[in-house]
Amino acid sequence: MGSLSNHKNHHDTNLMDQCDQVVVLMVPFPAQGHLNQLLQLSCLISSYKLPVHYVGSAIHNRQAKTRSNGLNPNDVAKIHFHDIPTPPFDSPPPNPNSSTKFPEHLQPVWDAMLNLRKPIGCYLQEISKKSRRVIIIHDPMMSVVVQEVSTIPNAESYAFNCLSAFSLVSLSSKALDKLFPIQLPKDLPSLEDYIPDKAQYFVSLQSEPSSYRDGDLYNTCRLIEAPCLDLLEKEEIVEKRKSWAIGPILPAKLSFKRQHKCLEWLDKHEPKSVIYVSFGTTTSLSDEEIKELALGLEKSKVKFIWVLRDADKGDVFDGKVRRAELPEGFEERVEGVGMVVRDWAPQPEILAHPSTGGFMSHCGWNSCIESITMGVPIAAWPMHSDQPSNTIFITEILKTGLVVREWTQRRELVKASTIQNAVERLMVSEEGDEIRKRAEELAATVRQATQEGGASRLELDSFIDHIMR
Ligand SMILES: *[C@@H]1O[C@H](CO)[C@@H](O)[C@H](O)[C@H]1NC(C)=O
């Protein structure tokens, strides 16, 4: 008898503890750069000893887990992954020959997400009954899906912006030239005139439900983005929303798995001698582009690691993937100088490696912030969406990179000679050395910001205090 009643008491205490708790729900948008940032944020918030639930389709939860880069597996193990039943969706391959680089083939998976509104609403109801307060942190592209938050008294939602503040300003208004003394390129894309109709429609659906949010989080640092953050915040003051710039949210100490062969390869080379080439998870290069890039890298004679992968499909576990062909004999000719990686690369670890001295990148914000944090200068080759504005931010505002090819020339084939020239300028020139020095100095500042008492750390502490109030 005694043990039974003890057991019961024990159970009640647990229930009370739980009802007393603040619970955090993460709702990511299913594209790698977004899944990744929300998982990083999950680990960061969980380090304050709050329960964190990562909520999405089984496929995307698995994608986030299996591709986690630089995160400590013990920290990831503390996150509660909650699979929401999702209707089947088409997962067509990307079109490497498309005239724009926008990943239109992902539209079916994004549209499928709209069906998650009801099940996530139910899950939210259920968890809110057992908690003191539920905090939803969602991608702005998932505002539709989390809108039931407005019907639950003890729930609040916060948008986590996976873009730079510079891009958010540049995509939403043209006020940039008032903030910075720079000449902006004339055809900097805005959401309206660049993104395909179907994706634009998807974005427009988010607009009304996004007004239910209580505040904004940014994966950027006030030390580098104060003017744009101030402007974004000015717009929100009217709505009485709070905001916090807490980036970079990449773990300060990377957890090195040290299994990937490219890290051992890097060990064999001189400090800052290798350029890392990768265009993220939403871009596929055509056969012609691959040929030019291969020849450009070869002619530069600079050491390189090139991640050559097709864009992700909606379901990355759906096996059939195009294997892009390299020029005849290329890999033999560059043996010892270059390495082509076709599997999932440990990007933060590569960027943090002392032998890495440059990054040829599409300038997705995830790649930019990792590069900024690791002090690696960028050779920018923007492909779509916010990438051209990130390129301006990196090359003209921070001055920690140079442009491979201008955005205005995006419809032309980038020739091997152009690539060779950009690689040589970044890796073996005085100009490149200066850019690299600035990138290293900036990294020291930015890294300081996330340490105890630093600018971003204080904002994160303040966000945690706010949700725990
Ligand atoms: C892309 O174009 C090349 C010819 O330039 C062709 O061989 C290839 O099949 C095309 N790929 C797709 C997916 O359409």
Side-chain angles (χ1 to χ4, degrees), residues 128-403:
S128 69
K129 287 189 197 121
K130 296 185 289 190
S131 324
R132 177 160 70 89
R133 185 182 294 129
V134 181
I135 302 297
I136 299 176
I137 300 178
H138 65 92
D139 197 286
M141 287 302 115
M142 295 294 269
S143 300
V144 166
V145 173
V146 299
Q147 61 184 299
E148 256 49 63
V149 68
S150 66
T151 66
I152 299 172
N154 65 335
E156 295 169 4
S157 72
Y158 298 86
F160 178 72
N161 292 284
C162 296
L163 308 186
S164 64
F166 187 90
S167 285
L168 288 167
V169 170
S170 121
L171 290 170
S172 63
S173 72
K174 297 288 173 198
L176 274 181
D177 42 3
K178 297 194 185 70
L179 293 180
F180 300 101
I182 57 165
Q183 181 88 39
L184 290 173
K186 279 189 199 63
D187 72 339
L188 199 63
S190 69
L191 279 179
E192 292 72 31
D193 58 27
Y194 186 62
I195 291 186
D197 287 352
K198 278 187 190 160
Q200 233 179 87
Y201 175 69
F202 181 87
V203 173
S204 71
L205 292 177
Q206 314 297 329
S207 152
E208 202 224 308
S210 96
S211 66
Y212 304 147
R213 75 195 194 281
D214 295 278
D216 293 286
L217 292 160
Y218 296 96
N219 185 12
T220 189
C221 170
R222 208 166 287 276
L223 301 177
I224 57 172
E225 290 228 76
C228 288
L229 284 167
D230 288 350
L231 190 78
L232 292 168
E233 284 164 352
K234 218 182 280 167
E235 285 167 5
E236 292 306 333
I237 286 169
V238 198
E239 308 275 352
K240 298 199 166 50
R241 285 197 196 100
K242 290 176 178 294
S243 78
W244 298 267
I246 58 171
I249 58 168
L250 194 68
K253 281 207 176 66
L254 293 179
S255 179
F256 278 87
K257 291 192 207 117
R258 273 277 157 191
Q259 318 154 311
H260 202 281
K261 56 189 186 308
C262 71
L263 296 172
E264 279 149 39
W265 189 87
L266 277 169
D267 286 344
K268 292 188 220 140
H269 296 288
E270 301 280 296
K272 306 190 202 308
S273 65
V274 178
I275 187 166
Y276 168 58
V277 182
S278 173
F279 303 108
T281 53
T282 60
T283 296
S284 303
L285 298 180
S286 69
D287 295 346
E288 273 180 310
E289 288 172 316
I290 289 169
K291 191 174 142 213
E292 297 294 328
L293 179 52
L295 294 178
L297 288 171
E298 186 181 352
K299 283 193 205 157
S300 77
K301 301 196 168 63
V302 170
K303 297 190 189 96
F304 65 87
I305 290 181
W306 175 11
V307 179
L308 176 55
R309 293 165 57 84
D310 244 12
D312 280 347
K313 296 202 282 186
D315 177 355
V316 298
F317 302 105
D318 170 7
K320 297 152 279 175
V321 187
R322 155 182 175 250
R323 189 182 159 91
E325 289 297 324
L326 287 162
E328 187 76 33
F330 173 74
E331 279 176 284
E332 293 74 41
R333 289 201 300 278
V334 298
E335 209 190 329
V337 178
M339 178 177 195
V340 178
V341 174
R342 303 228 187 211
D343 57 347
W344 185 245
Q347 177 164 303
E349 288 92 335
I350 293 173
L351 291 171
H353 196 286
S355 302
T356 305
F359 182 11
M360 184 179 290
S361 170
H362 64 306
C363 286
W365 185 238
N366 201 47
S367 289
C368 289
I369 197 87
E370 287 176 357
S371 208
I372 290 169
T373 310
M374 305 307 172
V376 177
I378 292 179
W381 182 344
M383 302 292 181
H384 64 83
S385 304
D386 58 328
Q387 298 158 16
S389 45
N390 288 339
T391 296
I392 295 175
F393 182 61
I394 296 287
T395 60
E396 306 212 17
I397 309 292
L398 298 180
K399 298 185 193 303
T400 55
L402 50 80
V403 175

